[in-house]
Amino acid sequence: MNLKELSQNLGLSQTTVSRALNGYPEVSPTTRRRVEEAARTFNYSPSTRAKGLATGQALAIGHVIPLSSKHEMVNPIFGDFIAGAGETYARHGYEMILSIVDDASERRIYEGLKSRRAVDGVVVHGPRMDDPRIGLLQALELPFAVHGRASGYGKPYAWLDVNNRSAFKRAADFLFDLGHRRIALINGLEVMDFAHRRRDGYTASLQSHGIDPDPALMRSGEMTEVFGYQSTRDMLKPDNAPTAILCSSLISALGVRRAIEEKGLTMGKDVSVITHDDALSYLQNGGDVPIFTATRSSVRDAGRQLAEMLLNAIADPHMTPQTQLLEAELMVGSSTGPAPRKD
Amino acid sequence: MNLKELSQNLGLSQTTVSRALNGYPEVSPTTRRRVEEAARTFNYSPSTRAKGLATGQALAIGHVIPLSSKHEMVNPIFGDFIAGAGETYARHGYEMILSIVDDASERRIYEGLKSRRAVDGVVVHGPRMDDPRIGLLQALELPFAVHGRASGYGKPYAWLDVNNRSAFKRAADFLFDLGHRRIALINGLEVMDFAHRRRDGYTASLQSHGIDPDPALMRSGEMTEVFGYQSTRDMLKPDNAPTAILCSSLISALGVRRAIEEKGLTMGKDVSVITHDDALSYLQNGGDVPIFTATRSSVRDAGRQLAEMLLNAIADPHMTPQTQLLEAELMVGSSTGPAPRKD
DNA sequence: AGGGAAATCCAAAGCGCTTTGGGAATTGCG
DNA sequence: CGCAATTCCCAAAGCGCTTTGGATTTCCCT
């Protein structure tokens, strides 16, 4: 069923039917109702392609997900982020189109989306330090919004980020208050902008407490369970093992806990752990009482909001880029406690 | 830059340029080369919408991801599956469009995709027992392929599935061979078809060893870490605790291990564990030696292949539906060992 | 009753592409 | 050299929608 057939069926012109369906005022309430009802019974919706062609809009947003080329790792937060963004799109009648792409071909993908006019805008995932994509997208004049930020890029652009620096500073401060002095950091890859900022917050806290960061207590890698486990096992070996660990991901934190318990130590007593928690739907941090003390910020909310920002920017292209900084909340669980006394 | 401009620029008709670009034979090699070069320098690609409108194809595949309405849980395997499917689409010039949707509105989404002619086909995720979506899609005449199967549906349809039944039967058999007699099952939600089949395999193995399934040793729920932990903790309490546990997901298995170790027991010695492993990129089962003995099947491969099947079905609509049954491999890790002797 | 404003509706152009149905130029062959 | 067969290219229609620029009808006031 298409517009032509529907309008013939109703004895109206295509114009009138189209206007009735799109809420234009120059249609009497009676006809509008008649048209809407017919559309429903014939199960008619306008063809996306034809509509897009006629209006010049794509009514679609592109998400380009980078695939870490080394380990072929798909970021585990991406499912929940997408779920949030998808909600927003659905509400506004937009479609989400997805490309998962290794770093090498990313540029070509953006150019393709632009020249094929496949999307009205894109969301940039996983920004790195000095990420070249932002410059590229501005040059292409393709509207975009970044989940995270790219330190080192000069001009303004739309982004939404967790305040990673303050979250990790606050977490480290919290550990200092509990009496910890040797605090380790198990971080994501530090080419990633978020990891860099977390490290910044961590070192800032150390320094404000008069402690020099010890390279032996800082690890950086892809945030798997095994990575958390191995890093922790290594660090717990020497005499001056850390009494507390700051961890960048709940998945790695599971490995941290495993290494601690394997050593016969108790988490929250012998070694305190704070992790960042993206509030992923399939990885809840315990039940009512969180297992891990965590800096928490829902990545699904982030998806919802960033999508909203991008749609705004598309609706009004002359707007100055919106930005939004979310503060993570510190949720105290049972994985932290006072630093053990040295005997 | 559009076709018209490009063809004017070249002093050719739109027809010729279009044909040159699409590989039609009635264009001289010289002109073809000239056209291709011009397209490259002007960075021209045909508009997806216009092309789609003209050809009647969408050049897009829809993925409708169900959001477990109760816990709002996004299936953690979905990122890797999508990554695999996306590879196939990219190779064939297709786009992937995504909707994440709660069960209630799923029907409307499929109908919408169909009536808006937004996609050429869809992939069905997370089929349940007697899943109504399959009948719906056949009625809509929208080509589709299912990741998994729906027991209880009569007519043939395209699917790709892991042989869950044989995998879990084999895993249980393996445990029997090691001398285990009390084997527990920590399963996904048993409305999900895959979970049902796994249970089938499990009970088949028990019965073939002359053992009646004990409801006290069978749990079913959403496969979180906490679910694995709590189920295991509960089951390890009574005197006749299981000596082995079959687990449906690596994430839950992490919880299983935690509960075991918390009890002061050793996994692989006091309690053996076998888990299913979807080979997710962010959840590797250890390094060279797997931590968990596991039935393993890459969900990313599944994505690649299912996408291929769907594209075939779209290319030739009269083909009888393809199906594919993948066998999981049993990888022996350090989480299994001989049943502890009763003293 | 008569005039203009308001309310309704419509025909046709245009969005950017593919494709049908030729037409003109070139080639091959007797 | 002449004619048919190729080769190469083109004009125009059509995909399903929106939107411009009227045309017609109804309504309200004086």
Side-chain angles (χ1 to χ4, degrees), chain B residues 246-258:
Chain B
L246 217 50
C247 180
S248 232
S249 136
L250 193 43
I251 294 184
S252 307
L254 297 173
V256 170
R257 176 174 62 195
R258 179 158 63 99

Side-chain angles (χ1 to χ4, degrees), chain A residues 35-50:
Chain A
V35 171
E36 278 166 351
E37 191 163 323
R40 216 169 309 121
T41 67
F42 290 114
N43 215 331
Y44 167 82
S45 344
S47 144
T48 334
R49 332 232 126 224

Side-chain angles (χ1 to χ4, degrees), chain B residues 2-3 15 18-19 22 24 44:
Chain B
N2 59 21
L3 225 212
T15 312
S18 169
R19 288 189 156 151
N22 289 317
Y24 281 73
Y44 166 81

Side-chain angles (χ1 to χ4, degrees), chain A residues 62-115:
Chain A
H63 283 247
V64 182
I65 316 280
L67 194 64
S68 158
S69 44
K70 214 171 31 185
H71 298 100
E72 294 244 305
M73 173 152 152
V74 184
N75 194 329
I77 70 166
F78 135 77
D80 271 78
F81 183 88
I82 288 291
E87 249 179 62
T88 300
Y89 299 145
R91 215 176 23 247
H92 290 79
Y94 273 70
E95 241 127 47
M96 171 163 60
I97 98 165
L98 211 70
S99 321
I100 302 196
V101 127
D102 59 67
D103 320 353
S105 39
E106 212 167 348
R107 181 189 192 94
R108 235 174 358 89
I109 294 290
Y110 285 117
E111 289 172 344
L113 288 175
K114 168 72 180 183
S115 66

Side-chain angles (χ1 to χ4, degrees), chain A residues 260-331:
Chain A
I260 291 172
E261 291 175 351
E262 190 183 86
K263 274 253 178 324
L265 304 173
T266 305
M267 184 172 76
K269 195 163 140 257
D270 304 307
V271 185
S272 286
V273 176
I274 301 183
T275 182
H276 186 74
D277 177 6
D278 292 299
L280 302 186
S281 57
Y282 58 89
L283 251 199
Q284 303 291 357
N285 181 8
D288 301 331
V289 180
I291 297 169
F292 291 98
T293 298
T295 57
R296 189 168 193 278
S297 175
S298 160
V299 84
R300 197 185 287 201
D301 279 349
R304 263 188 282 262
Q305 292 185 46
L306 187 60
E308 209 81 56
M309 283 170 55
L310 180 54
L311 294 186
N312 288 341
I314 289 168
D316 176 7
H318 300 299
M319 203 171 60
T320 66
Q322 287 180 281
T323 64
Q324 194 161 344
L325 192 57
L326 307 172
E327 293 297 334
E329 51 177 341
L330 184 66
M331 303 193 62

